[in-house]
Amino acid sequence: MQTDVKDKNEALTRKDFASDQNVRWCPGCGDYMILANMQKTFAQMDHAKEDFLSVSGIGCSSRITYYLDTYGIHSIHGRAIAVATGAKLANPELNVWVSTGDGDCMAIGGNHFIHACRRNIDLNIIIFNNKIYGMTKGQSSPTTPEGTKTKTAPEGNYENTFNIGEVAIGAGATFFARVPDKDPKLMEEVMMEAYRHKGTSVIEVLQNCVIFTDGIHEQITGKDTKDDNQLVLEHGKPMVFGKDQQYGLKLEGMKLKKAPYDENDPTFLKHDAHEPDSALQLALAKLELPDFPVSMGVIRKSDKPNFDKTVHDRIATVREHSSFESVSDLFNSGNTWDIE
Amino acid sequence: MANNVLTPTMQKVVVRFSGDSGDGMQLTGDMFSQASGQAGLDLTTIPDFPAEIRAPQGSVGGVSSFQIQFGGTEIYTPGDEVDVLVVMNPAALKANLRFLKLGGTIVADKDSFTSRNLKKADYEENPLEDKSLDEYKVIKAPATSLTKEALKDLGLENQAMTRSKNMFALGLVTYMFGRPLDTLIKFIEKKFSKKPVLVKANKLALEAGFNFALNTEIIGTSIIIPPAKMQKGTYRNIDGNTAIAWGFLAASENSGRKLSLCSYPITPASEILHELSARRDMGAIVFQAEDEIAAVCAAIGASFSGNLSITTTSGPGLSLKSEAIGLAVISEIPLVIVNVQRAGPSTGLPTKTEQSDLNQALYGRHGDAPLVVMAASSPDDCFNYSYEAARLAMEHSTPVILLSDTYLASGTSPWRIPENGDLPDIKIKDFEGSADEWLPYIRDPEFLTRYWKGPGDKGFEHRIGGLEKQVDTGNLTYEPENHEKMTKIREEKIAKIAKKLPRQSVVGAQSGKLLVIGWGSTHGAINTAVTEMLEEGEENIGFTHFNYINPLPENTEEVFSRFDQILVCELNNGQFANYLKTKFPKFNYRKYNKIQGQPFFTSEIKAEIINTLTN
């Protein structure tokens, strides 16, 4: 039976979630910011500390489990979501955070990712997207842009890429957000939103790898270009961007169109993250440079029954109608005979 | 005509019901087994379905059969050769005549031997009419026409009436063994309680068959087998897969840990997933994963969350799970992996039985990754061994691989329902000190078991994972000596479990010329062969059967040393014999292997034993 989440029994601070292990990412790695924000937001969440579970796969991203003073499973390559699914179903009270990378989650773990999105199990999945395999030293990943030189594509990457938001929303994700590693405030907001969302929450962090893809997100996150190149979405607000908020988005035929913003023109679109029909949210997730800015913030947050609750509600219902109180009732049901 | 093999003094009989897959042969067999059990007899059954879900009606490929051996003595196999063959159409005769003993009895629905059906079964002449069955006793029963006659007042359509002819056959066979109809009638009333017309139809057909046999004296004297000496208690028939599912339910109840089953469908293991899915009504948390890897990984997550966690599969699925099982080994968490083996490699013979995943269970992981391997040996003891697998996994915080196979999964045998106190307690050792004194990799000194702590336990937050852990602290370390030490600890931890295992026992001679060895599902055939030879006066053979494979029982080597020769019988190319050679190299192991996707026949084992003794 699913029980309500127990009360958080003590005030927690960021330090409560810092383990005693030395953090060993490269200096300047975007992962530090993600770790700091996880520790900070965890302390704000309404869960007892012992009910936090961090699950990760393999890769630089996945070391984060050792740095969080929570229960944790540093699992195997690509399988963090599967491990987390079993843990959450076994104990639906847990507040489960999956940390994974673009290689771990979108390549070897792709199957588990799409099925988590489809089921809408209440997991929070943070994908550290540095668009490269870092720990194995620089091979192309499913998100490596065309033309980027890698160890496996020395003349430049030639494979088509995944847009993580497109895959997630296409697979049925009810929550998708994107955030740059350089924007702690937005990251904090997005993590809290993901925490509050009952269902699979996917957060893509545009994370910088200082060794293999240093500056790969610079056009989007750089000081001088970010206003033009980021569309920071807020539910219910007009979708405007540019240094002076001078651009907005409209529909043209079946496509989004960038146009000089006029607040009196009702054809400019407002963001609706809650709309169940994901068509426009998908279009927003897919916007890319140079014709459009890249969407940030909560792109989709739609209500749908979460899998873990459905599973436990169903168990509760069938149990209520069951004539089996104990295994002995089951064993003695049906056709039996006695030997005296 | 040959002599009738059925005699009034028989101790055990093999009956095979066969007909078109639409003829209800499995239900007929189930009912007959049920009634045999209630008559106090021991029994073992095996179904034989067509490979295709819907093979053409009336064709040899579409024949469905059900074989049962029952008797007033202990019955360990469904029998090598058939005494009574029931055939509902010519195709069933064609498909099954090869199983019948010379002089055996054929009960045939003579109405179904029409020229159309004969043609479908490739008969040029009607075998009931030509002399081709002279070596057998043939009972030609007008099952279809008499069933229709009996049911004529019920207002049923022709097809619906014909469908009850299996009950006619059952009534006839019931008379043959001198049994009353009442248990069968009760069964019918229960099974069709929501459809009164079917209760009537099936009862009438059953009685028609019984009365036909009684009135026509076509059978002669009924054969009444005195009841077997069975332990007092309440019994039911159970198949291996259900027994495995129920063992886990019992282990969950007795340990107070919720049950999580995370599996992916695969033949022949899926019925465990089906049964536990239905047992959501007992609180089972069942997850049908997107693939085999997700299934085992989810079970690992569920185990860390504190549940009794199971994943079930067959050979190909075990291959997919191996990396994750390594994670469970290094994390030292409880996990049961059930492998209902089928014939491999690759897709192999997916519906046929084999014991060829032993090497995979023992060695199929990268690194030094020891775990407990055990094997069930009959449909009913699948219950005990799944309970034991769960108990050892939780008490020793380790993955356990439980091996079953197609033969056990689909066969049935009577199972004595455990009573209070029959099952061993499950004692999960908890850490006795405070959270401050605790470390993630400190161990119970007796068995080196790591304590099972997980989410929800306040103050015990810690991380597990695939990277090597420092002794006691569980911190990550690449220190060379530490890795060696942890590898040895993991090995020793499994080895110590032998202290808890029952001693290996020997049937027959306790020392002497020949020790016959088996493991897992071959117990029935080997035990029957050896027991029959002992009864026939052979004094020099002993038989020892293994259910615990890693670790082996402590007295294994001592048992081996009492015999001049060792013969290892298994349904693979010699994997257990090779394993024993690495464990106890001073003995010679003669191998007897059958790799045909079929279980052993008792006769084959006997012949091999004689061969070994005389060479």
Side-chain angles (χ1 to χ4, degrees):
Chain A
M1 264 231 343
Q2 188 169 23
T3 47
D4 292 332
V5 170
K6 67 182 164 198
D7 289 338
K8 187 172 166 179
N9 36 23
E10 57 194 332
L12 297 168
T13 68
R14 188 179 152 166
K15 275 192 186 157
D16 289 310
F17 290 98
S19 78
D20 59 357
Q21 301 295 297
N22 291 328
V23 182
R24 290 191 182 168
W25 288 309
C26 307
C29 177
D31 292 358
Y32 285 96
M33 189 62 92
I34 302 173
L35 173 62
N37 269 290
M38 286 176 86
Q39 290 164 337
K40 188 175 175 194
T41 52
F42 280 10
Q44 297 168 36
M45 291 173 190
D46 199 21
H47 260 81
K49 189 185 163 196
E50 64 269 21
D51 288 339
F52 277 77
L53 175 63
S54 163
V55 185
S56 52
I58 294 294
C60 298
S61 62
S62 298
R63 290 298 181 99
I64 204 164
T65 288
Y66 293 111
Y67 308 141
L68 290 163
D69 189 19
T70 62
Y71 279 104
I73 306 175
H74 176 229
S75 71
I76 46 177
H77 202 20
R79 316 301 170 195
I81 290 170
V83 172
T85 297
K88 177 73 180 176
L89 286 179
N91 181 357
E93 287 183 39
L94 301 181
N95 180 13
V96 185
W97 290 77
V98 174
S99 298
T100 175
D102 46 299
D104 191 50
C105 186
M106 305 310 292
I108 190 169
N111 198 29
H112 313 306
F113 178 66
I114 58 174
H115 288 283
C117 293
R118 171 178 69 81
R119 291 190 185 104
N120 198 34
I121 182 165
D122 189 17
L123 301 178
N124 307 290
I125 302 169
I126 306 180
I127 305 171
F128 300 30
N129 186 8
N130 55 19
K131 307 198 170 184
I132 196 80
Y133 282 83
M135 188 166 271
T136 52
K137 300 186 176 58
Q139 301 83 4
S140 298
S141 94
T143 61
T144 304
E146 203 182 327
T148 302
K149 289 183 178 171
T150 70
K151 293 266 172 65
T152 47
E155 293 82 32
N157 190 41
Y158 48 86
E159 287 198 30
N160 295 329
T161 58
F162 269 152
N163 174 311
I164 294 175
E166 185 182 7
V167 176
I169 296 170
T174 52
F175 183 104
F176 176 72
R178 188 185 288 133
V179 62
D181 59 4
K182 286 185 176 172
D183 192 341
K185 194 172 155 288
L186 184 61
M187 199 186 293
E188 187 183 330
E189 280 172 30
V190 158
M191 284 179 178
M192 288 307 291
E193 279 292 305
Y195 168 66
R196 285 188 280 265
H197 179 67
K198 292 287 161 222
T200 303
S201 305
V202 179
I203 302 173
E204 176 190 5
V205 181
L206 302 184
Q207 174 249 328
N208 193 47
C209 170
V210 289
I211 307 298
F212 295 107
T213 50
D214 196 18
I216 198 160
H217 305 301
E218 193 58 26
Q219 256 191 300
I220 303 168
T221 59
K223 240 186 204 159
D224 299 334
T225 49
K226 69 174 186 188
D227 291 333
D228 285 335
N229 290 346
Q230 287 187 30
L231 167 62
V232 183
L233 296 165
E234 281 184 77
H235 174 71
K237 301 265 177 72
M239 298 191 276
V240 291
F241 56 98
K243 201 157 267 167
D244 304 312
Q245 308 272 285
Q246 72 272 37
Y247 296 112
L249 291 177
K250 284 184 165 189
L251 271 179
E252 186 181 60
M254 290 179 69
K255 288 198 296 193
L256 289 172
K257 181 193 163 190
K258 171 181 168 180
Y261 184 61
D262 173 359
E263 63 180 332
N264 297 318
D265 179 349
T267 64
F268 275 96
L269 297 168
K270 282 184 182 164
H271 183 43
D272 185 353
H274 301 171
E275 169 58 48
D277 182 338
S278 61
L280 274 179
Q281 296 151 358
L282 194 61
L284 287 169
K286 287 175 70 178
L287 293 180
E288 58 184 18
L289 303 178
D291 297 338
F292 289 97
V294 173
S295 301
M296 298 292 167
V298 178
I299 296 173
R300 175 170 169 80
K301 182 183 191 300
S302 169
D303 279 340
K304 214 178 181 182
N306 51 304
F307 180 63
D308 40 310
K309 183 171 187 305
T310 306
V311 165
H312 284 272
D313 284 353
R314 177 164 295 204
I315 290 171
T317 310
V318 292
R319 255 185 102 59
E320 208 172 298
H321 296 102
S322 169
S323 51
F324 305 139
E325 287 283 320
S326 67
V327 290
S328 169
D329 298 337
L330 168 71
F331 297 169
N332 287 287
S333 66
N335 294 304
T336 63
W337 67 90
D338 292 322
I339 304 270
E340 301 295 331
Chain B
M1 188 183 282
N3 284 335
N4 185 358
V5 299
L6 290 179
T7 64
T9 55
M10 291 178 89
Q11 280 293 303
K12 51 188 180 185
V13 176
V14 180
V15 179
R16 190 171 176 98
F17 295 94
S18 64
D20 192 69
S21 41
D23 282 342
M25 289 298 104
Q26 303 306 319
L27 175 64
T28 310
D30 269 348
M31 289 175 67
F32 189 72
S33 315
Q34 186 70 34
S36 303
Q38 300 222 11
L41 302 172
D42 197 9
L43 61 101
T44 300
T45 77
I46 194 89
D48 187 359
F49 309 111
E52 293 87 14
I53 303 283
R54 291 270 178 271
Q57 202 186 1
S59 69
V60 175
V63 171
S64 165
S65 305
F66 183 103
Q67 186 166 318
I68 170 174
Q69 176 164 219
F70 56 95
T73 173
E74 283 175 90
I75 301 294
Y76 294 105
T77 77
D80 290 4
E81 290 181 294
V82 173
D83 299 301
V84 178
L85 175 64
V86 179
V87 294
M88 302 308 289
N89 66 8
L93 180 64
K94 187 109 200 191
N96 289 300
L97 188 61
R98 64 195 165 105
F99 299 116
L100 188 63
K101 267 183 202 159
L102 270 186
T105 300
I106 297 169
V107 177
D109 173 17
K110 73 170 185 187
D111 298 332
S112 71
F113 281 66
T114 59
S115 55
R116 194 159 156 255
N117 284 346
L118 289 165
K119 207 173 156 195
K120 278 190 200 169
D122 262 343
Y123 278 115
E124 285 181 6
E125 297 286 325
N126 185 347
L128 301 182
E129 307 298 339
D130 64 18
K131 305 237 173 244
S132 63
L133 299 177
D134 275 3
E135 299 291 321
Y136 308 96
K137 178 176 161 71
V138 183
I139 297 171
K140 292 179 256 183
T144 308
S145 54
L146 287 185
T147 300
K148 278 191 197 166
E149 178 63 24
L151 272 54
K152 67 176 194 286
D153 296 332
L154 293 182
L156 289 169
E157 283 181 24
N158 195 28
Q159 212 186 350
M161 287 198 282
T162 313
R163 212 173 286 150
S164 295
K165 70 178 180 180
N166 59 336
M167 290 299 117
F168 183 97
L170 181 59
L172 191 155
V173 177
T174 299
Y175 177 85
M176 191 181 257
F177 295 99
R179 301 211 194 121
L181 290 179
D182 48 353
T183 53
L184 294 170
I185 288 171
K186 272 189 205 139
F187 189 105
I188 290 170
E189 285 168 346
K190 204 163 171 181
K191 169 124 185 131
F192 300 105
S193 62
K194 286 180 186 136
K195 293 177 182 161
V197 67
L198 289 186
V199 173
K200 270 190 200 162
N202 283 304
K203 266 165 78 175
L204 286 170
L206 187 72
E207 283 161 358
F210 188 90
N211 293 336
F212 168 78
L214 173 76
N215 296 330
T216 56
E217 295 185 350
I218 201 165
I219 305 287
T221 319
S222 290
I223 299 147
I224 298 171
I225 298 172
K229 289 186 200 85
M230 310 261 288
Q231 195 187 346
K232 206 175 128 190
T234 304
Y235 285 78
R236 64 184 301 143
N237 281 328
I238 199 161
D239 63 80
N241 276 347
T242 304
I244 285 176
W246 288 11
F248 292 136
L249 289 169
S252 168
E253 186 171 287
N254 286 2
S255 63
R257 299 284 181 151
K258 285 183 187 167
L259 178 64
S260 281
L261 176 80
C262 309
S263 292
Y264 183 79
I266 185 167
T267 302
S270 297
E271 291 79 10
I272 306 172
L273 171 61
H274 302 168
E275 172 58 19
L276 287 173
S277 297
R279 295 289 77 80
R280 288 193 175 100
D281 63 2
M282 299 197 65
I285 301 168
V286 177
F287 173 54
Q288 183 186 336
E290 58 272 21
D291 59 35
E292 294 280 1
I293 299 172
V296 64
C297 287
I300 288 170
S303 172
F304 192 57
S305 282
N307 286 13
L308 165 57
S309 298
I310 317 291
T311 185
T312 53
T313 190
S314 186
L318 187 62
S319 301
L320 285 165
K321 292 178 196 294
S322 17
E323 185 196 8
I325 296 171
L327 173 65
V329 169
I330 199 167
S331 303
E332 303 187 45
I333 54 166
L335 174 70
V336 182
I337 305 111
V338 178
N339 178 3
V340 186
Q341 300 167 95
R342 60 194 220 186
S346 191
T347 311
L349 306 172
T351 58
K352 300 295 172 191
T353 202
E354 206 162 271
Q355 297 182 298
S356 52
D357 294 342
L358 179 63
N359 281 346
Q360 184 178 213
L362 285 167
Y363 311 116
R365 289 163 295 286
H366 62 281
D368 287 304
L371 42 64
V372 176
V373 178
M374 48 199 282
S377 52
S378 67
D380 59 303
D381 84 11
C382 280
F383 176 86
N384 295 324
Y385 288 104
S386 75
Y387 184 88
E388 279 301 284
R391 184 173 76 94
L392 292 178
M394 290 190 282
E395 290 185 352
H396 295 273
S397 209
T398 176
V400 174
I401 293 181
L402 172 63
L403 297 172
S404 174
D405 56 34
T406 306
Y407 178 70
L408 297 181
S410 49
T412 73
S413 51
W415 172 58
R416 188 178 157 276
I417 298 169
E419 290 163 10
N420 275 345
D422 282 356
L423 296 173
D425 287 342
I426 296 174
K427 297 174 190 150
I428 303 166
K429 263 205 184 152
D430 201 0
F431 180 67
E432 284 169 3
S434 69
D436 294 340
E437 299 164 294
W438 183 76
L439 290 169
Y441 275 73
I442 55 171
R443 296 163 190 282
D444 149 54
E446 190 184 1
F447 285 103
L448 302 180
T449 309
R450 198 175 81 80
Y451 299 98
W452 189 14
K453 294 283 184 193
D457 287 336
K458 191 169 156 54
F460 292 89
E461 288 84 355
H462 68 283
R463 274 65 58 195
I464 59 167
L467 285 168
E468 185 61 284
K469 304 290 189 292
Q470 193 172 46
V471 171
D472 294 342
T473 68
N475 291 334
L476 303 191
T477 174
Y478 285 77
E479 204 179 61
E481 291 76 18
N482 181 78
H483 177 53
E484 188 163 309
K485 198 165 174 190
M486 285 297 274
T487 300
K488 299 279 188 198
I489 288 173
R490 287 188 286 263
E491 186 190 29
E492 202 185 337
K493 186 181 101 163
I494 300 300
K496 276 179 182 290
I497 295 171
K499 286 201 273 185
K500 272 195 190 170
L501 304 182
R503 288 169 65 78
Q504 196 62 22
S505 61
V506 180
V507 171
Q510 296 303 301
S511 63
K513 272 191 191 158
L514 177 65
L515 179 67
V516 183
I517 292 177
W519 68 275
S521 72
T522 54
H523 174 263
I526 307 175
N527 191 53
T528 306
V530 171
T531 310
E532 284 179 12
M533 290 180 77
L534 292 167
E535 282 166 7
E536 287 156 18
E538 176 57 67
E539 288 172 351
N540 277 309
I541 53 172
F543 166 48
T544 191
H545 194 77
F546 286 88
N547 296 103
Y548 295 95
I549 292 170
N550 191 43
L552 288 162
E554 287 185 317
N555 63 329
T556 302
E557 185 172 10
E558 185 272 319
V559 168
F560 289 7
S561 67
R562 292 188 238 140
F563 291 85
D564 303 339
Q565 266 188 294
I566 292 173
L567 173 67
V568 185
C569 307
E570 50 187 327
L571 300 172
N572 60 39
N573 205 14
Q575 298 183 14
F576 189 55
N578 293 344
Y579 171 67
L580 292 174
K581 186 77 190 170
T582 65
K583 289 280 173 185
F584 312 112
K586 69 178 180 187
F587 304 108
N588 284 320
Y589 302 90
R590 184 183 166 110
K591 296 174 189 172
Y592 180 53
N593 306 119
K594 181 174 179 181
I595 322 160
Q596 302 172 9
Q598 300 291 333
F600 280 126
F601 289 133
T602 301
S603 53
E604 293 169 335
I605 302 282
K606 273 180 151 176
E608 181 63 22
I609 291 172
I610 291 164
N611 208 5
T612 309
L613 287 171
T614 51
N615 284 329

